[in-house]
Amino acid sequence: MFIELDEVSAAGNSMLAKLFIPTIWGIIESLLFASIAFVIKPKKGYRLVDTVFILLLVFICVRSFYTTQQHGISPNPDYSRLKANYFTLGHFIGRIIPYYCIDLSDVPTYSIDEPNVESPPKIKNIIFVVGESQNINNMGVFGYHRDTTPFLSYLDQYNTQAVIKPTISGAVMTAISLPTLFNAIEKPNGSLQISKGTTNLFYLAKKQGYNTQFYSAQAENQMMIMNIIGLRWIDKLVFPTELGYKKSDNMPDSYLINYLKEVNLNSSQPNFIILHQRGSHVPYGTLLNDDDRVFGTETIIDKYDNTIHKTDQILQSIYDYLNSTGKNDWILVFTSDHGQNVSNETFNHGQFTASSYTVPTLIYSPNYHIQSNIKEQLDKCNVLYHQQISTLLISLMGYDRPMSDCKIGYVNGNLLTGDSGYLEINQQTGEIKNIQ
């Protein structure tokens, strides 16, 4: 129960100033309700209410124990305080405590030591574009019959140093893939490692002096996982609400370019910048304007292909802007959180099908030494893994953790623990094990 007590204590001490007022208010509120209970004599009606209350708590704990998804792992900002606490308390008592104190998980706990600093940052500005629900099946650069990626296709043909490859995502759901990606979790059941935070990209970036920024086009109330992505180490977090949108509203991905241009890339401080897209999330193309609907809107595939084409345009705009600085102190990385099964009959994700976990990756820096070294390593791989992106970034920040190889990788299911199943993919043998 007291695993990593030092790390938890250190994290808690850093939050004391922010917790002071809520703690005092909580104590006052608790005393108020306790005093009412002493003043008012118990009645049968109250006993009935207490019984219902206890049963509700038992219900949410039992449901959390048997859950096959991550509901309750973090508070929903749209919920009332009572409702949010109800779900998170149920998840903690019903799932966290039994699974980690009684060791109920069948999946070995993944843990790794914090990497050591071995040098100053190797690259000053890291621009990491995180796509949404983009598979490779509908991308022209990977052989799709439509020219949905004119920029990436051009880059792939004429820029011999750029790395553009299919990639296996760390999970088939955003709530699992992003925490896995941003915490460099190479295997399932990395929840405790995520809690430690010692391999979190934002934590490691901050430790090396980076200014950490996260700009998201996705609605604020749909990003409840920020606390396990690395919220406490993000210097600047921006959602569409900053531009006047409602918490439930998404915004066009093109707005992310404006935020990038506001960052001073010439400052003495290095920058770790995340541009988080709405991308190809369902319903497809609702944030596009008429000019962006280049393939029409007659079918589901038409609408999905429009979003792929728009992402290609955005990547070109970012690439052109970074090139216009005239510097070689940046690297542009793009990948998607997971893929998507798309046809004119169905569209979904979350299953262990190749289209749900095979996504694109672009890696490019004008720094020839850095880029040629990256390309030399990754040219050995026909398909990459998300873990290679995470470990590449850690290495570029100046740590002694080398980029992972592409021999074996894992695709997690709907639970961070891996208890809902996961895939083990061995590229050397071509074997894919579905472990339940």
Side-chain angles (χ1 to χ4, degrees), residues 201-213:
L201 298 185
F202 295 104
Y203 164 74
L204 296 173
K206 287 287 291 178
K207 193 174 177 181
Q208 281 287 70
Y210 281 87
N211 182 22
T212 57
Q213 299 148 82

Side-chain angles (χ1 to χ4, degrees), residues 67-74 91 175-176 228 414-417:
T67 187
T68 57
Q69 45 79 42
Q70 293 294 117
H71 190 66
I73 195 172
S74 58
H91 188 88
I176 313 300
I228 52 176
N414 297 338
L415 291 171
L416 278 170
T417 59

Side-chain angles (χ1 to χ4, degrees), residues 358-419:
T358 310
V359 299
T361 286
L362 161 68
I363 302 172
Y364 177 71
S365 172
N367 184 310
Y368 180 79
H369 174 72
I370 288 176
Q371 186 63 26
S372 59
N373 183 51
I374 294 171
K375 185 171 177 60
E376 181 181 357
Q377 294 183 68
L378 295 184
D379 272 353
K380 302 172 185 177
C381 308
N382 293 324
V383 179
L384 310 181
Y385 294 111
H386 264 178
Q387 67 194 48
Q388 293 177 279
I389 297 174
S390 303
T391 50
L392 167 64
L393 295 178
I394 292 173
S395 175
L396 290 175
M397 290 175 187
Y399 291 93
D400 64 356
R401 186 171 178 183
M403 181 168 52
S404 301
D405 60 42
C406 54
K407 295 177 182 177
I408 298 178
Y410 298 85
V411 181
N412 208 347
N414 297 338
L415 291 171
L416 278 170
T417 59
D419 289 298

Side-chain angles (χ1 to χ4, degrees), residues 36 233 276:
I36 291 174
W233 299 295
H276 179 223

Side-chain angles (χ1 to χ4, degrees), residues 15-35:
M15 300 173 65
L16 288 179
K18 295 181 180 180
L19 291 174
F20 179 74
I21 294 178
T23 301
I24 295 299
W25 174 249
I27 293 172
I28 294 173
E29 193 176 51
S30 299
L31 290 174
L32 176 63
F33 280 100
S35 62

Side-chain angles (χ1 to χ4, degrees), residues 267-280:
S267 68
S268 58
Q269 185 177 17
N271 293 286
F272 181 54
I273 304 167
I274 307 301
L275 303 178
H276 179 223
Q277 292 184 272
R278 183 64 176 173
S280 300

Side-chain angles (χ1 to χ4, degrees), residues 121-142:
K122 298 173 185 176
I123 195 78
K124 181 180 176 184
N125 296 302
I126 299 174
I127 297 87
F128 187 8
V129 183
V130 180
E132 170 67 59
S133 302
Q134 182 161 336
N135 65 36
I136 66 167
N137 296 342
N138 295 62
M139 298 181 64
V141 69
F142 295 116

